[in-house]
Amino acid sequence: MSLFDLSGRWAIVTGANTGIGRAIAVGLAQAGADIVGVGRSGMAETEADVTAAGRRFVGVAADLATPGIAPSIIAEALAAGATPDILVNNAGIIRRADSLDFTEEDWDAVLDTNLKSAFFLCQAFARAAIAAERPAKIINIASMLSFQGGIRVPSYTAAKSGLAGITKLLANEWAARGINVNAIAPGYVETNNTSALRADAERNADILKRIPAGRWARPEDMAGAAVFLASAASDYVHGAILPVDGGWLAR
Ligand code: NAP
């Protein structure tokens, strides 16, 4: 059996309708996993790609900013027949404004969706995995701003730096319980999240100039790291924040 084979495992992926979440869901399915897509928008295209790969797809409709929603998401996934094997906390938003003008609403919206929701999904998922006595893998989607400050995105930087911290904390608590908790830190990826940056010619050129690989990432560039962190290949990897950034952090 391949170290990277995910046959017989279920992966719960938040924000699976588009961008990085969609690419990771499809990549995990191509490696053999069945998929639970969690999101607030229709996921028909992801479902089509997952079923084309010969895997099952279950959709769970949820707005992750809703307080207290995490246990019901995991319960719905399990009720649909999924086992608690792999969780990918991918859903996220960004709000851009100068810190002098930044609003409390933009602070709370980003922290609630990108950090609080991810932590409580980890908790509900880990409780289910431990109750089922199954080894499990959690992959959080961090950012370059888990390492760097960024510009005009204070709540996003706080959330992604916090997510890296929580990833390490949960790895410390749960490694001995059979749960690997790690993160992928994508570089600059062509998705809705970065459309404003790519539309700004000056920022776009500045960013591109610093990427050793010489191009923005495509969402599919994140799939291999996700398969690695979801599979037996990473069984002794705990608390890592894995950059997939075309070399950005090496500069
Ligand atoms: P995206 O295309 O904007 O996707 C974001 C996903 O999160 C969408 O599926 C979105 O659903 C979902 N989402 C947001 N708020 C939600 C909520 N309240 N409830 C349920 N789902 C919600 O951007 P992306 O770049 O693929 O982002 C995916 C992750 O990668 C995010 O955590 C982001 O911070 C991270 N990331 C992105 C980059 C990059 O360069 N693009 C770099 C580093 C990290 P809707 O479509 O319904 O809004």
Side-chain angles (χ1 to χ4, degrees), residues 14-22 38-42 62-66 89-94 113-114 141-145 156 160 163 184-194 197-198 216 219:
T14 67
N17 59 308
T18 185
I20 293 170
R22 178 178 172 195
V38 180
R40 61 185 175 181
S41 303
D63 182 337
L64 294 167
T66 312
N89 277 312
N90 163 79
I93 57 171
I94 194 161
T113 306
N114 296 17
I141 303 304
S143 164
M144 293 296 96
L145 303 190
Y156 188 83
K160 293 298 186 180
L163 191 59
I184 293 169
Y188 286 81
V189 192
E190 291 168 347
T191 68
N192 301 333
N193 174 293
T194 52
L197 285 183
R198 282 176 288 118
W216 283 65

Side-chain angles (χ1 to χ4, degrees), residues 108-130:
D108 288 344
V110 174
L111 268 292
D112 283 353
T113 306
N114 296 17
L115 185 59
K116 181 177 168 186
S117 143
F119 172 77
F120 284 103
L121 273 173
C122 287
Q123 181 190 65
F125 173 82
R127 286 175 175 166
I130 289 166

Side-chain angles (χ1 to χ4, degrees), residues 26-45:
V26 173
L28 295 176
Q30 287 168 347
D34 295 310
I35 304 296
V36 177
V38 180
R40 61 185 175 181
S41 303
M43 293 174 272
E45 289 168 337

